[in-house]
C-alpha cells in the first residue's frame, strides 16, 4: 500500500446521496489517479491529476467529481448522477513520467443501499 | 481498439509448483508493460515494468517476459507459495501520460497446500 491511504475502507450510501472518498499520499508524487474496479473487469480510470489544481477526465468520469487543491490529497465525490456506484474504488499516485510505477492505496468499497 | 487479454481467467496449482500466466495485447503505440499482484480486497502492487527493449525481468520468484513483435507477455512464478494466491493483472501503457494505461481483467491464482 506504500504511502497512500484511503478512507473509509467500507462505505454505505443511500440512493440519491453524494459521498466523498478520501485519498492521501506522502510520497511527494505529482500525479494521482482514481480507478473503479468491478468484478470480472479490468480497472477503469475515472479521473487523474498530473499537478495541483489540474485534473483530467478518464474513461468513465460521468457522475464523479474531483478536486486537487493540495499535492498530497485527491478526493473523489460520487454524485447521485452516477447510476451504478457500487464498486471497489482505488486511488493511485506516481511520478508523471510514463514509465513510472503507480502506487495504489488499499481501496474503498462503496455499496449503495 | 486497444485491448489487453489475459489467460487463463483462473488457475489452481499445488504449493511448490511453477506456473505461467499469459498476456496478449493490441495496444498501439506501445510504451511499457507492467504486471501487478492484487490480494483480495487490497490495492495492486507492482511486480515488474518492462519497456520495448526489455525481453525479461525478474523480481524474486517472479519472471516476466515480453515479446514486442508478437505482442505477448508472460509471468512465470517459480516454486509457488500459499501467499502467491492473488489476482495478477497485466497493464499496458500506450504512452503520452499515465492516464493511458489499459488494464487486463486479471488471472486469479489459487495455490493449495
Amino acid at each position: 500500500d506504500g504511502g497512500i491511504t484511503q478512507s473509509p475502507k467500507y462505505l454505505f450510501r443511500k440512493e440519491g446521496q453524494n459521498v466523498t472518498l478520501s485519498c492521501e499520499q506522502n510520497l511527494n508524487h505529482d500525479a494521482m489517479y482514481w480507478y473503479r474496479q468491478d468484478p470480472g473487469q479490468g480497472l477503469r480510470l475515472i479521473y487523474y491529476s498530473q499537478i495541483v489544481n489540474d485534473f483530467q477526465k478518464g474513461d468513465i468520469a460521468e457522475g464523479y467529481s474531483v478536486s486537487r487543491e493540495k499535492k498530497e490529497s485527491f478526493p473523489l465525490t460520487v454524485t447521485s448522477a452516477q447510476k451504478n456506484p457500487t464498486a471497489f474504488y482505488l486511488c493511485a499516485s506516481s511520478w508523471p513520467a510514463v514509465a513510472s510505477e503507480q502506487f495504489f492505496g488499499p481501496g474503498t468499497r462503496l455499496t449503495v443501499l | 481498439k486497444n485491448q489487453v487479454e489475459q489467460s487463463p481467467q483462473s488457475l489452481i496449482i499445488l504449493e511448490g509448483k511453477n506456473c505461467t500466466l499469459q498476456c496478449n495485447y493490441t495496444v498501439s503505440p506501445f510504451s511499457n508493460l507492467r504486471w501487478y499482484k492484487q490480494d483480495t480486497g487490497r490495492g495492486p502492487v507492482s511486480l515488474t515494468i518492462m519497456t520495448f527493449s526489455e525481453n525479461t525481468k525478474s523480481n524474486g520468484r517472479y519472471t516476466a517476459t515480453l515479446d514486442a513483435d508478437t505482442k505477448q507477455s508472460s509471468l512465470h512464478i517459480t516454486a509457488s507459495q500459499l501467499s502467491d494466491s492473488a489476482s495478477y493483472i497485466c497493464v499496458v501503457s500506450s504512452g503520452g501520460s499515465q492516464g493511458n494505461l489499459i488494464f487486463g481483467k486479471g488471472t486469479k491464482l489459487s495455490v493449495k497446500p
Side-chain angles (χ1 to χ4, degrees):
Chain A
D1 297 341
I4 301 182
T5 58
Q6 291 185 241
S7 62
K9 187 169 179 62
Y10 298 97
L11 188 56
F12 298 89
R13 187 195 95 175
K14 293 182 179 179
E15 281 192 34
Q17 290 181 336
N18 292 353
V19 63
T20 298
L21 282 58
S22 170
C23 177
E24 304 276 334
Q25 55 98 2
N26 62 4
L27 300 169
N28 201 33
H29 285 159
D30 291 306
M32 297 186 74
Y33 315 82
W34 274 105
Y35 293 95
R36 170 181 172 140
Q37 187 174 36
D38 294 284
Q41 293 199 35
L43 273 68
R44 292 182 289 170
L45 182 66
I46 304 172
Y47 269 98
Y48 66 102
S49 168
Q50 295 189 303
I51 197 169
V52 174
N53 291 323
D54 184 53
F55 49 82
Q56 308 294 327
K57 291 183 178 180
D59 299 320
I60 55 166
E62 185 176 351
Y64 300 97
S65 66
V66 294
S67 63
R68 187 83 187 278
E69 297 177 0
K70 297 186 296 183
K71 186 175 185 177
E72 60 270 22
S73 179
F74 191 40
L76 173 74
T77 296
V78 184
T79 74
S80 57
Q82 169 51 232
K83 299 304 179 188
N84 186 22
T86 295
F88 189 51
Y89 290 87
L90 286 160
C91 179
S93 71
S94 74
W95 299 112
V98 172
S100 294
E101 177 183 351
Q102 284 195 8
F103 291 84
F104 285 84
T108 292
R109 185 165 299 280
L110 172 64
T111 303
V112 174
L113 305 174
Chain B
K1 181 182 178 182
N2 287 335
Q3 284 188 318
V4 174
E5 295 188 356
Q6 294 186 242
S7 62
Q9 188 173 2
S10 63
L11 182 63
I12 301 174
I13 62 173
L14 293 176
E15 186 179 12
K17 298 297 186 181
N18 303 337
C19 68
T20 300
L21 314 181
Q22 299 291 340
C23 174
N24 296 337
Y25 61 93
T26 56
V27 177
S28 182
F30 173 87
S31 178
N32 58 72
L33 185 145
R34 313 155 187 229
W35 283 95
Y36 281 88
K37 177 186 179 186
Q38 184 178 22
D39 293 318
T40 301
R42 306 289 298 274
V45 174
S46 179
L47 295 175
T48 64
I49 298 178
M50 288 189 293
T51 59
F52 182 89
S53 59
E54 295 175 294
N55 301 117
T56 303
K57 206 160 196 179
S58 293
N59 179 357
R61 294 180 297 101
Y62 301 101
T63 299
T65 65
L66 174 64
D67 185 334
D69 292 331
T70 61
K71 299 186 177 182
Q72 296 180 325
S73 176
S74 65
L75 181 68
H76 186 75
I77 304 175
T78 303
S80 61
Q81 300 176 358
L82 298 179
S83 59
D84 292 331
S85 294
S87 287
Y88 292 84
I89 304 172
C90 177
V91 187
V92 179
S93 170
S94 64
S97 76
Q98 290 224 49
N100 291 332
L101 299 184
I102 296 93
F103 289 77
K105 295 180 180 180
T107 291
K108 187 174 176 64
L109 174 66
S110 297
V111 181
K112 303 294 186 184

